[in-house]
């Protein structure tokens, strides 16, 4: 089994996302962080292969994060790192990898300096023990591998935010669930991993969209043959139905832009379609995806 240090050095090809929170599974909150991560990975040429959602349950978090860390190169978690009793992400991930929770002094100093006083806590005292202070401290007691350099385990990606990205087991990146913070911290990770991407220039993947008047069943045979033919070149063929609409769409996705472009005329001809350059230009709009 690879060590944390080895995981943090190896080439990143695959990614996974773990969304943590009862509110997502209960329908109270709509998760947008995984969608942002999917676009982020696509732009960097990473294959986002798994998105899981678990409730605020220690056993479920431990099981999921261990499995994702083992199976994928780059893992992001979202949610469960606040000050209340049900924010158990840090403690659960610490247990998953047999790590202690340690006060991170730099994060605590940044918290004190950058946090704005809440109207309900006008006389809050950072130096005096209180239930309110202990609640805040839950957010800066972080899983810590004392055998490794702290700078490799905690990434401060924004001068305006005290929240660090905690990197556990070399490839698990713990982020808050608040979308504004999630997106800011995720974007800040990019400079730290760009050299480890399959394409260090970060050119990402390309997508070709072709609109067709044909039913999916009419083009299924051709798309199946096409998918088998281009898969060795790293190209994925997708089919998107648009119920009760006039058109469906076919997509070609891959990193070899020149090869993708060489396929366009053939696909347009075989599905009697036309190429569109922006998803919003598709008549009816994309509704769901199925693999051809």
């Amino acid at each position: 089994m690879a060590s944390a240090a080895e995981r943090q050095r190896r080439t990143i090809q695959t990614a996974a996302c773990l969304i943590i929170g009862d509110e997502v599974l209960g329908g109270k909150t709509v998760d947008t962080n995984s969608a942002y991560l999917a676009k982020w990975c696509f732009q960097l040429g990473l294959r986002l292969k798994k998105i899981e959602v678990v409730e605020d349950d220690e056993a479920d978090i431990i099981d999921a994060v261990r499995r994702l860390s083992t199976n994928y190169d780059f893992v992001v978690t979202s949610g469960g790192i606040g000050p209340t009793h049900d924010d158990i992400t840090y403690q659960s991930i610490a247990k998953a990898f047999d790590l202690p929770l340690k006060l991170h002094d730099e994060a605590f100093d940044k918290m004190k300096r950058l946090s704005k006083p809440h109207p309900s806590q006008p006389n809050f005292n950072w130096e005096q023990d209180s239930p309110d202070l202990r609640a805040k401290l839950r957010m800066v007691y972080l899983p810590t591998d004392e055998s490794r350099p702290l700078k490799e385990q905690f990434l401060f990606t924004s001068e305006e935010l005290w929240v660090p990205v905690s990197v556990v087991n070399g490839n698990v990146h713990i982020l808050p669930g608040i979308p504004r913070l999630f997106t800011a911290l995720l974007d800040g990770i990019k400079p730290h991993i760009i050299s480890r991407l399959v394409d260090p220039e970060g050119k990402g993947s390309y997508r070709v969209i072709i609109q067709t008047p044909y039913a999916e069943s009419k083009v299924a045979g051709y798309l199946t043959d096409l998918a088998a033919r281009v898969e060795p070149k790293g190209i994925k063929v997708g089919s998107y139905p648009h119920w009760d609409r006039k058109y469906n769409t076919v997509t070609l996705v891959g990193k070899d832009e020149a090869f993708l472009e060489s396929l366009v005329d053939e696909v347009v001809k075989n599905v009697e379609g036309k190429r569109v350059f922006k998803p919003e230009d598709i008549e009816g709009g994309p509704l769901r995806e199925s693999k051809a």
Side-chain angles (χ1 to χ4, degrees), residues 31-102:
D31 168 56
T32 59
N33 291 340
S34 60
Y36 188 86
L37 175 65
K39 294 176 182 178
W40 189 85
C41 288
F42 186 85
Q43 292 168 354
L44 293 179
L46 293 180
R47 294 179 62 194
L48 179 59
K49 300 192 69 174
K50 176 77 72 172
I51 297 174
E52 288 193 30
V53 183
V54 296
E55 62 184 358
D56 296 304
D57 178 85
E58 183 175 273
D60 286 349
I61 296 171
I62 290 173
D63 172 71
V65 77
R66 282 176 176 168
R67 180 166 28 81
L68 296 178
S69 181
T70 298
N71 294 336
Y72 304 99
D73 301 324
F74 180 81
V75 180
V76 170
T77 75
S78 166
I81 62 172
T84 59
H85 70 284
D86 57 344
D87 291 312
I88 60 172
T89 294
Y90 284 142
Q91 70 186 54
S92 300
I93 294 180
K95 285 187 178 181
F97 300 106
D98 298 318
L99 297 174
L101 288 173
K102 295 284 187 178

Side-chain angles (χ1 to χ4, degrees), residues 123-141:
N123 300 314
F124 183 80
N125 189 332
W126 289 101
E127 308 303 324
Q128 182 178 336
D129 181 45
S130 67
D132 290 8
L133 176 60
R134 290 194 293 272
K136 289 180 181 292
L137 285 173
R138 287 173 58 88
M139 296 185 284
V140 286
Y141 270 86

